[in-house]
Amino acid sequence: MFTESDAEGRLPKAIAAANHLRQINSEIEIEPHIADVNHSNIEQLIDSCDVVLDGTDNFATRYLINDACVKHNVNWIYGAAVGSYGVTMTIRPHQTACLRCVFEETPAAASAPTCDTAGVIMPIINIVAAVQVSEALKLLTGHVDELHGALMQFDVWRNEWRKISIGKPLPDCPTCGLGEYETLNAEARDFAAVMCGRHAVQISPTDSVHIDLDALRRKLESSGDVKANDYLVRFRTGEYELTIFQDARSIIRGTDDIATARSLYSKYIGN
Ligand SMILES: [Zn+2]
């Protein structure tokens, strides 16, 4: 999906992936979105989808996808990997257990290995993705009886493969039983999150705005080293590097401290 020249060209991953997929098959229609998925846009993003496959790296986003897909009755296929271990599960809203039926609470911080502490090896990603895509094919062709119906776990280093049946939705599940969808009702605020394994913080503004990247590039040129393309501006000052996207989202490298990142954001981008 990505090459060294994508990195040199500073292409957002959504654009680079779309370009490569179009080269593989020019007959498919691809709509890349450069965005941070959160409560303000998830319902719009999944609207009219037949199936959602995730490859996210944190439980907050998975619960968000789970709430949105169950609320809008969209099938979704959870997939995750860390180290040599991977897991996947197919959720058909109100037909099968959802992610929150199986994992009621987010694992406590620091209790689970993350890509920061454990890294990930490539083959496990391929295995999880292959099972996810097989499930998607079954769903899209109406072969629901062939779905694996389980929490599938694989460890390619320890040579362990497990299949735990997930069963029916739980009546007291906050999402599919009680319909609370708490992650979709979050208060409007900006989002700041430390990014796993990257010594970086991401800041997403409350409201979606469209910023003039060309004007921003000119404004920043007097304060440091600036590089830009059609999708983003990258600005280096001292030990920090700020990447700003068209929707005003920014990734600030060189710190794990949210307060430092916020102050750099307001200093160079505003608000
Ligand atoms: Zn549930």
Side-chain angles (χ1 to χ4, degrees):
M1 299 274 269
F2 310 109
T3 63
E4 289 181 354
S5 74
D6 295 328
E8 276 161 27
R10 298 172 173 76
L11 282 186
K13 284 167 97 176
I15 300 297
N19 290 346
H20 292 297
L21 291 171
R22 286 189 186 111
Q23 284 171 344
I24 293 168
N25 184 345
S26 60
E27 292 181 5
I28 53 174
E29 201 175 306
I30 300 169
E31 195 185 320
H33 293 268
I34 308 166
D36 174 48
V37 178
N38 59 49
H39 74 94
S40 72
N41 59 13
I42 178 97
E43 294 183 75
Q44 203 183 341
L45 286 168
I46 65 154
D47 188 38
S48 78
C49 288
D50 294 307
V51 61
V52 170
L53 282 76
D54 103 297
T56 57
D57 66 358
N58 64 84
F59 264 92
T61 308
R62 290 169 194 145
Y63 285 141
L64 181 79
I65 297 169
N66 191 63
D67 277 355
C69 287
V70 172
K71 180 178 173 187
H72 293 275
N73 224 13
V74 175
N75 295 313
W76 85 279
I77 306 169
Y78 158 60
V82 66
S84 58
Y85 166 81
V87 60
T88 178
M89 172 177 156
T90 302
I91 292 120
R92 285 192 299 136
H94 309 295
Q95 309 288 316
T96 66
C98 78
L99 191 70
R100 209 180 271 278
C101 291
V102 175
F103 302 108
E104 197 188 335
E105 298 287 339
T106 310
S111 71
T114 68
C115 51
D116 254 340
T117 56
V120 64
I121 56 168
M122 189 271 287
I124 188 60
I125 295 173
N126 288 349
I127 287 174
V128 171
V131 175
Q132 284 181 284
V133 173
S134 305
E135 293 283 280
L137 293 176
K138 295 172 201 171
L139 282 169
L140 294 172
T141 56
H143 290 81
V144 293
D145 292 344
E146 311 295 333
L147 295 166
H148 59 62
L151 182 72
M152 301 282 265
Q153 299 175 311
F154 317 99
D155 192 317
V156 290
W157 209 262
R158 298 200 172 101
N159 311 307
E160 291 169 356
W161 302 65
R162 250 183 250 121
K163 186 177 170 187
I164 302 164
S165 288
I166 58 166
K168 294 280 176 198
L170 296 179
D172 59 348
C173 165
T175 299
C176 63
L178 309 176
E180 289 171 355
Y181 312 123
E182 65 174 29
T183 65
L184 302 178
N185 302 322
E187 273 176 47
R189 58 182 168 83
D190 70 343
F191 291 90
V194 178
M195 300 181 79
C196 193
R198 293 172 64 177
H199 195 40
V201 172
Q202 172 174 263
I203 294 190
S204 308
T206 319
D207 302 312
S208 65
V209 285
H210 191 85
I211 58 173
D212 182 341
L213 290 178
D214 219 35
L216 180 67
R217 177 182 57 78
R218 288 195 300 270
K219 180 178 103 173
L220 293 174
E221 264 166 358
S222 57
S223 317
D225 177 37
V226 183
K227 298 220 163 55
N229 62 26
D230 290 347
Y231 311 101
L232 56 85
V233 169
R234 187 162 288 179
F235 168 63
R236 196 184 287 274
T237 177
E239 65 203 280
Y240 304 111
E241 183 188 81
L242 285 72
T243 302
I244 306 106
F245 300 92
Q246 232 154 22
D247 61 359
R249 181 169 58 97
S250 181
I251 293 171
I252 294 137
R253 285 201 177 78
T255 181
D256 288 319
D257 179 54
I258 286 177
T260 304
R262 277 194 204 281
S263 92
L264 287 162
Y265 188 94
S266 55
K267 183 172 177 192
Y268 293 110
I269 303 160
N271 296 319

